[in-house]
């Protein structure tokens, strides 16, 4: 994680604020150009409310939580759990009826969940979760 050294010196909120400000400044010219449609500028209130929700709650709020997790758990551990995001998205889409879960998505979900459990030592066949034969011999005396 590029932000890891920054999180050692600054709060997650401050890192998020600066990354959002720099990203916004870079993207603002493109947004101004893209904001014009064939019919003129977008003036729908719902569009602006949706954009505000996306920026403030999803992006800023999500990044603050993300950076807090990285600063506490470490980037390797947090990135490992990022593999669960597609699983959650597929299960959420199936639960809400937006998209049926087909066999390949189901198999992928099972594979990702099994991999995460293996990496955390939560399954009996995991090297982390089981004691080696050498450890058993040593413990027997």
């Amino acid at each position: 994680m590029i932000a890891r050294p920054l999180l050692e010196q600054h709060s997650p909120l401050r890192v998020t604020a600066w990354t959002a400000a720099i990203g916004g400044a870079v993207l603002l010219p493109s947004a101004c150009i893209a904001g014009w449609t064939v019919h003129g500028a977008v003036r729908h209130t719902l569009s602006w409310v949706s954009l505000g929700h996306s920026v403030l709650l999803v992006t800023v709020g999500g990044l603050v939580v993300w950076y807090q997790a990285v600063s506490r758990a470490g980037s390797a551990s947090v990135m490992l759990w990022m593999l669960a995001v597609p699983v959650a998205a597929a299960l959420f889409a199936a639960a809400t009826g937006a998209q049926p879960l087909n066999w390949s998505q189901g198999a992928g979900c099972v594979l990702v969940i099994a991999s995460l459990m293996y990496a955390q030592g939560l399954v009996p066949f995991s090297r982390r979760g089981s004691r080696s034969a050498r450890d058993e011999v040593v413990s027997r005396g």
Side-chain angles (χ1 to χ4, degrees):
M1 288 278 308
I2 296 170
R4 178 88 175 159
L6 292 172
L7 292 170
E8 293 172 3
Q9 299 173 357
H10 306 290
S11 72
L13 182 59
R14 187 173 189 172
V15 172
T16 301
W18 276 106
T19 55
I22 293 169
V26 169
L27 293 175
L28 187 60
S30 298
C32 290
I33 294 168
W36 289 95
T37 65
V38 176
H39 305 290
V42 177
R43 293 192 177 105
H44 300 288
T45 305
L46 185 58
S47 297
W48 289 109
V49 170
S50 297
L51 180 63
H53 172 267
S54 178
V55 168
L56 294 176
L57 294 178
V58 177
T59 304
V60 175
L63 283 174
V64 167
V65 171
W66 172 259
Y67 287 141
Q68 284 179 339
V70 169
S71 66
R72 290 184 183 160
S75 55
S77 178
V78 171
M79 288 307 296
L80 179 68
W81 285 98
M82 281 299 296
L83 298 173
V85 171
V87 173
L91 294 177
F92 182 78
T96 59
Q99 179 180 352
L101 192 66
N102 61 35
W103 72 270
S104 62
Q105 291 169 328
C109 289
V110 169
L111 183 63
V112 168
I113 291 169
S115 299
L116 288 171
M117 291 175 66
Y118 178 79
Q120 296 296 315
L122 300 175
V123 290
F125 55 85
S126 171
R127 284 187 261 171
R128 284 182 162 183
S130 65
R131 295 172 55 175
S132 69
R134 180 178 170 268
D135 291 340
E136 290 181 22
V137 169
V138 170
S139 66
R140 288 184 195 162

